[in-house]
Amino acid sequence: VSTQSTGSSGINAEYGISSIDQPFDASSFNFNKVTEKEVLCGVELSADADCVSVSMDASSSLIAVNDSPISEQHVLLLPSPKDCLNQVLTKEAIELGLSFLISVGDPDTRIVFNSLRAFASVNHLHLHAYQCSEMLPVESCRVEHIAGCCYTLSGYPVPGFVFQLDTDTQDLAQSVFTVVKLLQDRNIPQNMMITFGDPCLGGNQDNPVPVIRVMVWPVKPSDELPHTLPFRPAVCELSGNILLHDRALFDSLTEQEVEETLQLARLDDEVFQEVVW
């Protein structure tokens, strides 16, 4: 899937950042500096984290306008922004993303996260919610079972983990976070997408009932990639939603060039297998 976008064309490779756990810097841009008119509402999770509701609590998580949208209804999910957390994924942030998607219930909606050194642009904990009307390749890609609700992508340009929501949102969030924490402890950048997709195994193959899939890609640091790329291999691109900023490039880019660019972000197979096992 190729999509034109009106955002900035910069690759934003985050040169000079050596850790995915860079401390929060209140003097840099952060989401506590957005104006009231950019905040759509506060939200809080239900007790079992399977939905969100509007909240007026000043300490709640927020939904805010994205001033560089890539689609209609592209918003930011800000988990407890007053806590000044850096862009390091937490179990609570994963629960917020899952609960938001369940509450919206729209298969066109995706929740995405980029860590530092994986094309995050702001070092203040946030996720994106955006829409794409096309089914993305990763949402129907074949998988191999590891254990429980955890799988790996099979035959995909960039290896990654896939988790499927079976019954309990909190259990799923914990499973996802267990893998994310392994990556964080190794200073391995990662990208995450929460979306509706085909069941990982089984089900009606001709007309599968959509389930919630969570993909996590461990990737090479963005500052180690070539300075000039046709597009940046961030989370949308890893899913198959290629964002381009040049009409001529949009018209000329080939599938082979897309796959070659994505594979530049591929974590070394040996390192990936160490994380798996």
Side-chain angles (χ1 to χ4, degrees), residues 21-70:
D21 193 14
Q22 190 98 346
F24 176 84
D25 180 2
S27 66
S28 299
F29 174 79
N30 63 78
F31 298 112
N32 291 326
K33 298 183 178 183
V34 300
T35 63
E36 286 188 12
K37 67 180 181 180
E38 294 176 281
V39 175
L40 299 176
C41 65
V43 293
E44 60 182 14
L45 299 181
S46 63
D48 51 3
D50 63 355
C51 68
V52 294
S53 58
V54 174
S55 171
M56 303 308 292
D57 186 341
S59 65
S60 67
S61 299
L62 302 179
I63 300 176
V65 171
N66 188 330
D67 64 1
S68 298
I70 62 172

Side-chain angles (χ1 to χ4, degrees), residues 188-200:
I188 297 175
Q190 74 277 169
N191 307 93
M192 180 189 74
M193 172 175 277
I194 306 174
T195 183
F196 289 97
D198 290 349
C200 288

Side-chain angles (χ1 to χ4, degrees), residues 68-99:
S68 298
I70 62 172
S71 74
E72 293 184 358
Q73 301 179 21
H74 183 173
V75 297
L76 298 173
L77 306 184
L78 309 178
S80 303
K82 298 299 183 184
D83 290 346
C84 299
L85 302 174
N86 60 352
Q87 184 67 349
V88 173
L89 196 57
T90 64
K91 177 176 178 286
E92 293 72 22
I94 297 168
E95 288 179 347
L96 176 62
L98 285 167
S99 300

